[in-house]
């Protein structure tokens, strides 16, 4: 029984030493990454080609989000629907639910101008991509 414990302890010590030795060079101070790793992580441009390529899908996603947020109370995800839910929680006396939903409402109301600004930016990007022949 004692021999089994010693053998298990020895195996554990060897495994730990092996793990430390294999991790050591990768974590050495001043170690530079391999050329392949640095080439992958460093940007080669501003990504304009990819942005122009994905522009139609990006515009559709942003437009759908703005439409949804501006929808009436029957539209899931709209500001009006969330306002209605907050009012219903207040009416029912569910203060914790009202607080939670009100925080979500604040976020959604703040998100709308951001998305509208993004729509304007995407129009400018679309014009630029068309001028470059990338669209």
């Amino acid at each position: 029984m004692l021999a089994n414990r010693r053998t298990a302890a020895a195996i554990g010590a060897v495994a730990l030493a092996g793990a430390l030795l294999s991790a050591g060079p990768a974590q050495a101070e001043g170690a530079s990454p391999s050329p392949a790793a640095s080439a992958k992580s460093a940007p080669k441009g501003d990504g304009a080609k990819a942005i122009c390529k994905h522009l139609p899908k990006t515009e559709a996603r942003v437009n759908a989000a703005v439409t949804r947020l501006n929808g009436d109370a029957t539209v899931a995800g709209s500001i009006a629907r969330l306002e209605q839910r907050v009012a219903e929680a207040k009416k029912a006396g569910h203060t914790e639910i009202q607080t939670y939903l009100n925080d979500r409402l604040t976020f959604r109301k703040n998100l709308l101008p951001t998305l509208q600004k993004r729509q304007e930016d995407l129009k400018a990007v679309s014009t630029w991509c068309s001028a470059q022949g990338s669209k």
Side-chain angles (χ1 to χ4, degrees):
M1 183 95 107
L2 187 57
N4 287 340
R5 287 186 188 161
R6 286 185 185 166
T7 303
I11 291 172
V14 170
L16 179 61
L20 291 174
L21 287 175
S22 67
Q27 296 176 354
E29 190 174 321
S32 62
S34 67
S38 62
K40 279 186 177 181
S41 64
K44 293 184 179 179
D46 61 359
K49 188 174 181 180
I51 291 172
C52 290
K53 178 182 175 186
H54 298 290
L55 186 63
K57 286 185 179 181
T58 305
E59 286 177 322
R61 244 186 351 262
V62 171
N63 291 340
V66 169
T67 301
R68 182 175 52 250
L69 288 171
N70 284 327
D72 62 11
T74 62
V75 177
S78 69
I79 291 172
R81 184 176 181 139
L82 196 50
E83 286 173 336
Q84 181 181 359
R85 290 178 65 196
V86 168
E88 289 172 2
K90 182 178 182 178
K91 181 178 162 186
H94 301 151
T95 55
E96 291 81 5
I97 302 300
Q98 178 191 353
T99 301
Y100 171 74
L101 292 175
N102 209 19
D103 289 344
R104 287 179 58 194
L105 179 61
T106 301
F107 174 79
R108 244 177 239 181
K109 284 181 175 180
N110 290 332
L111 180 63
L112 186 58
T114 302
L115 290 175
Q116 290 169 334
K117 174 67 173 133
R118 190 161 295 157
Q119 280 180 317
E120 294 172 20
D121 293 344
L122 288 173
K123 285 178 186 174
V125 170
S126 179
T127 303
W128 184 87
C129 289
S130 296
Q132 303 302 312
S134 299
K135 189 172 178 183

